[in-house]
């Protein structure tokens, strides 16, 4: 299933924002974020920037970046498992 997931290319997301009459900087500022937040989100994981872009486009972040967000969820799950294992070991 993971092989079918593809993130939306950054230039396409930028074009969609521009077609709606805004720049990525304007979207970030309107969301109360630093000016570069949405530009950064096109290149790498940036939760707040991703959320601002998705909200502006009327989409869920998972619709734009399914692979990136699946990886993030997988890393969080592994971290939780490791913490639970450490807690269990220290309680013994």
């Amino acid at each position: 299933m993971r092989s079918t997931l593809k993130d939306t290319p950054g230039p396409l997301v930028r074009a969609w924002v521009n077609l709606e009459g805004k720049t990525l900087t304007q979207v970030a500022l309107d969301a109360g974020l630093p000016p570069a937040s949405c530009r950064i989100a096109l290149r790498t994981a940036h939760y707040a920037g991703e959320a601002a872009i998705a909200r502006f486009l009327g989409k869920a972040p998972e619709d734009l970046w399914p692979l990136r967000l699946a990886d993030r969820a997988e890393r969080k799950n592994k971290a939780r498992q490791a913490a639970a294992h450490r807690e269990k070991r220290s309680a013994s």
Side-chain angles (χ1 to χ4, degrees):
M1 181 178 149
R2 278 179 61 97
S3 62
T4 62
L5 296 177
K6 292 193 191 263
D7 290 341
T8 307
L12 182 56
V13 174
R14 181 185 303 268
W16 288 340
V17 169
N18 293 157
L19 284 171
E20 293 295 325
K22 292 266 189 176
T23 65
L24 291 168
T25 299
Q26 290 170 322
V27 171
L29 293 174
D30 290 349
L33 300 172
S37 297
C38 292
R39 292 191 308 270
I40 292 168
L42 294 187
R43 294 188 316 271
T44 188
H46 188 289
Y47 181 78
E50 294 163 357
I53 293 168
R55 191 175 320 110
F56 175 74
L57 294 174
K59 299 179 180 283
E62 299 81 22
D63 295 338
L64 298 173
W65 298 284
L67 184 58
R68 183 187 297 183
L69 296 177
D71 287 346
R72 184 181 296 157
E74 187 176 315
R75 283 193 311 274
K76 280 184 180 182
N77 189 34
K78 285 182 181 179
R80 282 189 201 111
Q81 288 174 346
H85 182 71
R86 282 192 304 272
E87 186 177 307
K88 188 176 180 181
R89 278 190 3 204
S90 67
S92 301

